PDB file of all heavy atoms in Angstrom:
ATOM      1  N   ALA A 132       2.715  35.082  -3.680  1.00  0.00           N
ATOM      2  CA  ALA A 132       2.347  33.932  -4.492  1.00  0.00           C
ATOM      3  C   ALA A 132       0.845  33.663  -4.411  1.00  0.00           C
ATOM      4  O   ALA A 132       0.178  34.037  -3.436  1.00  0.00           O
ATOM      5  CB  ALA A 132       3.128  32.704  -4.031  1.00  0.00           C
ATOM      6  N   GLY A 133       0.345  32.991  -5.434  1.00  0.00           N
ATOM      7  CA  GLY A 133      -1.078  32.670  -5.487  1.00  0.00           C
ATOM      8  C   GLY A 133      -1.611  31.974  -4.245  1.00  0.00           C
ATOM      9  O   GLY A 133      -2.648  32.390  -3.694  1.00  0.00           O
ATOM     10  N   PRO A 134      -0.935  30.910  -3.759  1.00  0.00           N
ATOM     11  CA  PRO A 134      -1.449  30.220  -2.564  1.00  0.00           C
ATOM     12  C   PRO A 134      -1.536  31.111  -1.337  1.00  0.00           C
ATOM     13  O   PRO A 134      -2.384  30.894  -0.470  1.00  0.00           O
ATOM     14  CB  PRO A 134      -0.420  29.098  -2.351  1.00  0.00           C
ATOM     15  CG  PRO A 134       0.117  28.831  -3.723  1.00  0.00           C
ATOM     16  CD  PRO A 134       0.172  30.180  -4.387  1.00  0.00           C
ATOM     17  N   GLN A 135      -0.660  32.122  -1.235  1.00  0.00           N
ATOM     18  CA  GLN A 135      -0.747  33.046  -0.099  1.00  0.00           C
ATOM     19  C   GLN A 135      -2.067  33.809  -0.130  1.00  0.00           C
ATOM     20  O   GLN A 135      -2.647  34.117   0.915  1.00  0.00           O
ATOM     21  CB  GLN A 135       0.402  34.056  -0.134  1.00  0.00           C
ATOM     22  CG  GLN A 135       1.760  33.491   0.203  1.00  0.00           C
ATOM     23  CD  GLN A 135       2.837  34.552   0.074  1.00  0.00           C
ATOM     24  OE1 GLN A 135       3.493  34.647  -0.957  1.00  0.00           O
ATOM     25  NE2 GLN A 135       3.010  35.346   1.107  1.00  0.00           N
ATOM     26  N   ILE A 136      -2.528  34.119  -1.336  1.00  0.00           N
ATOM     27  CA  ILE A 136      -3.770  34.875  -1.483  1.00  0.00           C
ATOM     28  C   ILE A 136      -4.986  33.972  -1.335  1.00  0.00           C
ATOM     29  O   ILE A 136      -5.947  34.312  -0.647  1.00  0.00           O
ATOM     30  CB  ILE A 136      -3.798  35.586  -2.850  1.00  0.00           C
ATOM     31  CG1 ILE A 136      -2.670  36.615  -2.931  1.00  0.00           C
ATOM     32  CG2 ILE A 136      -5.150  36.245  -3.097  1.00  0.00           C
ATOM     33  CD1 ILE A 136      -2.546  37.304  -4.269  1.00  0.00           C
ATOM     34  N   MET A 137      -4.923  32.777  -1.953  1.00  0.00           N
ATOM     35  CA  MET A 137      -6.090  31.917  -2.005  1.00  0.00           C
ATOM     36  C   MET A 137      -6.278  31.089  -0.732  1.00  0.00           C
ATOM     37  O   MET A 137      -7.398  30.824  -0.322  1.00  0.00           O
ATOM     38  CB  MET A 137      -5.996  30.981  -3.212  1.00  0.00           C
ATOM     39  CG  MET A 137      -5.887  31.717  -4.543  1.00  0.00           C
ATOM     40  SD  MET A 137      -7.214  32.927  -4.796  1.00  0.00           S
ATOM     41  CE  MET A 137      -8.639  31.836  -4.878  1.00  0.00           C
ATOM     42  N   ARG A 138      -5.154  30.656  -0.104  1.00  0.00           N
ATOM     43  CA  ARG A 138      -5.266  29.748   1.042  1.00  0.00           C
ATOM     44  C   ARG A 138      -5.058  30.450   2.384  1.00  0.00           C
ATOM     45  O   ARG A 138      -5.572  30.025   3.406  1.00  0.00           O
ATOM     46  CB  ARG A 138      -4.256  28.611   0.925  1.00  0.00           C
ATOM     47  CG  ARG A 138      -4.436  27.753  -0.307  1.00  0.00           C
ATOM     48  CD  ARG A 138      -3.337  26.702  -0.386  1.00  0.00           C
ATOM     49  NE  ARG A 138      -3.164  26.210  -1.744  1.00  0.00           N
ATOM     50  CZ  ARG A 138      -2.087  25.561  -2.166  1.00  0.00           C
ATOM     51  NH1 ARG A 138      -1.087  25.330  -1.329  1.00  0.00           N
ATOM     52  NH2 ARG A 138      -1.995  25.143  -3.410  1.00  0.00           N
ATOM     53  N   GLY A 139      -4.254  31.495   2.382  1.00  0.00           N
ATOM     54  CA  GLY A 139      -3.970  32.191   3.635  1.00  0.00           C
ATOM     55  C   GLY A 139      -4.838  33.427   3.790  1.00  0.00           C
ATOM     56  O   GLY A 139      -5.608  33.790   2.909  1.00  0.00           O
ATOM     57  N   ASN A 140      -4.711  34.071   4.940  1.00  0.00           N
ATOM     58  CA  ASN A 140      -5.432  35.324   5.179  1.00  0.00           C
ATOM     59  C   ASN A 140      -4.451  36.465   4.920  1.00  0.00           C
ATOM     60  O   ASN A 140      -3.882  37.037   5.850  1.00  0.00           O
ATOM     61  CB  ASN A 140      -5.978  35.371   6.602  1.00  0.00           C
ATOM     62  CG  ASN A 140      -6.986  36.490   6.781  1.00  0.00           C
ATOM     63  OD1 ASN A 140      -6.904  37.527   6.105  1.00  0.00           O
ATOM     64  ND2 ASN A 140      -7.932  36.298   7.682  1.00  0.00           N
ATOM     65  N   ILE A 141      -4.237  36.773   3.644  1.00  0.00           N
ATOM     66  CA  ILE A 141      -3.203  37.722   3.255  1.00  0.00           C
ATOM     67  C   ILE A 141      -3.491  39.121   3.778  1.00  0.00           C
ATOM     68  O   ILE A 141      -2.564  39.855   4.148  1.00  0.00           O
ATOM     69  CB  ILE A 141      -3.035  37.747   1.713  1.00  0.00           C
ATOM     70  CG1 ILE A 141      -1.834  38.602   1.307  1.00  0.00           C
ATOM     71  CG2 ILE A 141      -4.311  38.200   1.035  1.00  0.00           C
ATOM     72  CD1 ILE A 141      -0.504  38.075   1.760  1.00  0.00           C
ATOM     73  N   PHE A 167      -1.571  34.484 -12.670  1.00  0.00           N
ATOM     74  CA  PHE A 167      -2.380  34.085 -11.516  1.00  0.00           C
ATOM     75  C   PHE A 167      -3.636  34.936 -11.416  1.00  0.00           C
ATOM     76  O   PHE A 167      -4.732  34.414 -11.173  1.00  0.00           O
ATOM     77  CB  PHE A 167      -1.568  34.209 -10.230  1.00  0.00           C
ATOM     78  CG  PHE A 167      -2.416  34.060  -8.994  1.00  0.00           C
ATOM     79  CD1 PHE A 167      -2.930  32.830  -8.636  1.00  0.00           C
ATOM     80  CD2 PHE A 167      -2.732  35.174  -8.220  1.00  0.00           C
ATOM     81  CE1 PHE A 167      -3.744  32.702  -7.521  1.00  0.00           C
ATOM     82  CE2 PHE A 167      -3.540  35.045  -7.107  1.00  0.00           C
ATOM     83  CZ  PHE A 167      -4.039  33.807  -6.754  1.00  0.00           C
ATOM     84  N   GLN A 171      -7.704  33.522 -11.589  1.00  0.00           N
ATOM     85  CA  GLN A 171      -8.557  33.543 -10.389  1.00  0.00           C
ATOM     86  C   GLN A 171      -9.192  34.921 -10.228  1.00  0.00           C
ATOM     87  O   GLN A 171      -9.251  35.462  -9.129  1.00  0.00           O
ATOM     88  CB  GLN A 171      -7.710  33.230  -9.143  1.00  0.00           C
ATOM     89  CG  GLN A 171      -6.819  32.012  -9.248  1.00  0.00           C
ATOM     90  CD  GLN A 171      -7.591  30.724  -9.106  1.00  0.00           C
ATOM     91  OE1 GLN A 171      -8.730  30.719  -8.666  1.00  0.00           O
ATOM     92  NE2 GLN A 171      -6.976  29.621  -9.503  1.00  0.00           N
ATOM     93  N   GLU A 173     -12.091  36.600 -10.080  1.00  0.00           N
ATOM     94  CA  GLU A 173     -13.126  37.060  -9.160  1.00  0.00           C
ATOM     95  C   GLU A 173     -12.611  37.133  -7.727  1.00  0.00           C
ATOM     96  O   GLU A 173     -12.795  38.129  -7.032  1.00  0.00           O
ATOM     97  CB  GLU A 173     -14.353  36.138  -9.238  1.00  0.00           C
ATOM     98  CG  GLU A 173     -15.049  36.167 -10.587  1.00  0.00           C
ATOM     99  CD  GLU A 173     -15.514  37.567 -10.981  1.00  0.00           C
ATOM    100  OE1 GLU A 173     -15.840  38.377 -10.092  1.00  0.00           O
ATOM    101  OE2 GLU A 173     -15.546  37.843 -12.191  1.00  0.00           O
ATOM    102  N   GLN A 174     -11.967  36.035  -7.271  1.00  0.00           N
ATOM    103  CA  GLN A 174     -11.465  36.016  -5.896  1.00  0.00           C
ATOM    104  C   GLN A 174     -10.324  37.015  -5.706  1.00  0.00           C
ATOM    105  O   GLN A 174     -10.220  37.667  -4.666  1.00  0.00           O
ATOM    106  CB  GLN A 174     -10.968  34.617  -5.527  1.00  0.00           C
ATOM    107  CG  GLN A 174     -12.006  33.521  -5.658  1.00  0.00           C
ATOM    108  CD  GLN A 174     -11.902  32.780  -6.976  1.00  0.00           C
ATOM    109  OE1 GLN A 174     -11.839  33.412  -8.035  1.00  0.00           O
ATOM    110  NE2 GLN A 174     -11.897  31.455  -6.912  1.00  0.00           N
ATOM    111  N   VAL A 175      -9.477  37.135  -6.730  1.00  0.00           N
ATOM    112  CA  VAL A 175      -8.301  37.991  -6.615  1.00  0.00           C
ATOM    113  C   VAL A 175      -8.691  39.466  -6.540  1.00  0.00           C
ATOM    114  O   VAL A 175      -8.131  40.218  -5.745  1.00  0.00           O
ATOM    115  CB  VAL A 175      -7.332  37.750  -7.792  1.00  0.00           C
ATOM    116  CG1 VAL A 175      -6.236  38.802  -7.805  1.00  0.00           C
ATOM    117  CG2 VAL A 175      -6.726  36.359  -7.688  1.00  0.00           C
ATOM    118  N   LYS A 178      -9.683  40.251  -2.993  1.00  0.00           N
ATOM    119  CA  LYS A 178      -8.557  40.294  -2.049  1.00  0.00           C
ATOM    120  C   LYS A 178      -7.672  41.516  -2.300  1.00  0.00           C
ATOM    121  O   LYS A 178      -7.239  42.193  -1.363  1.00  0.00           O
ATOM    122  CB  LYS A 178      -7.728  39.014  -2.167  1.00  0.00           C
ATOM    123  CG  LYS A 178      -8.422  37.767  -1.646  1.00  0.00           C
ATOM    124  CD  LYS A 178      -8.493  37.774  -0.138  1.00  0.00           C
ATOM    125  CE  LYS A 178      -9.157  36.506   0.400  1.00  0.00           C
ATOM    126  NZ  LYS A 178      -8.372  35.292   0.187  1.00  0.00           N
TER     127      LYS A 178
END
Side-chain angles (χ1 to χ4, degrees):
Q135 288 177 264
I136 296 176
M137 301 306 295
R138 299 177 202 162
N140 193 330
I141 187 65
F167 169 72
Q171 311 284 345
E173 295 302 329
Q174 302 97 311
V175 170
K178 290 287 181 68

